[in-house]
Amino acid sequence: MTGKEAGHQEQHPPHAQNPDALEIAPGAAHEQLEGWNPALAGEEDLRQALEKAFDYRGDITITRKDGSQIEGYLFDRRSAATLKDSVVRLYPKNSDEKISISYADIAALAFTGRDTAAGRSWEAWMKKYAEKRAAGEKDLSLHPEPLD
């Protein structure tokens, strides 16, 4: 006996599956941090704010305890047991050099740059596509928006 009589199930190639029935993982939800000036009352507040700054897709401004400020993109952080041994690394806005700043030297933090990925989700793209289609447009291609 072969086939269904023997208990074998019919195999469908992956492309024949119903895409609506497939498991779909939700996208990442990003906080709206643009313009936020977190209160850094204690060590834990500073560490949490710097973690959010690391995930942020725009520039931040760090005010050091000596009063100097630096604006740039935070691309790395190294958290250690003490604030003195923990550092953030960023690309300053108007320079190609990389700067390291100890957590212990940070007096304030602000999310000053535009979040370059805000509104650029798949859902936002599909909404624009549907609006163009409903308006009867023939060229349904969507082009990326400038980052600046």
Side-chain angles (χ1 to χ4, degrees), residues 3-134:
K4 290 182 183 177
E5 297 87 25
H8 297 287
Q9 297 296 320
E10 190 175 341
Q11 297 293 320
H12 295 285
H15 65 274
Q17 295 177 357
N18 177 358
D20 294 331
L22 297 175
E23 179 179 349
I24 297 174
H30 295 282
E31 289 183 71
Q32 295 299 323
L33 299 172
E34 193 172 314
W36 183 46
N37 296 308
L40 305 179
E43 180 177 332
E44 190 57 31
D45 293 332
L46 175 63
R47 289 182 184 275
Q48 287 178 2
L50 289 172
E51 282 301 309
K52 290 182 181 190
F54 175 71
D55 291 334
Y56 188 60
R57 299 149 304 182
D59 286 347
I60 61 164
T61 299
I62 292 175
T63 302
R64 295 180 183 162
K65 290 186 177 174
D66 67 5
S68 64
Q69 290 188 331
I70 185 156
E71 183 178 8
Y73 181 77
L74 192 152
F75 70 92
D76 189 21
R77 85 284 190 221
R78 297 180 183 162
S79 184
T82 66
L83 292 181
K84 183 179 178 186
D85 294 330
S86 302
V87 296
V88 293
R89 295 175 37 189
L90 58 114
Y91 290 109
K93 188 173 184 174
N94 299 321
S95 173
D96 290 334
E97 67 179 303
K98 298 174 187 174
I99 294 182
S100 295
I101 301 173
S102 169
Y103 283 25
D105 292 336
I106 298 173
L109 175 67
F111 292 75
T112 51
R114 183 174 153 259
D115 185 346
T116 58
R120 288 179 169 78
S121 67
W122 172 252
E123 290 81 13
W125 187 90
M126 288 301 297
K127 181 180 176 189
K128 288 179 186 177
Y129 178 86
E131 288 170 356
K132 283 185 161 191
R133 188 173 181 168

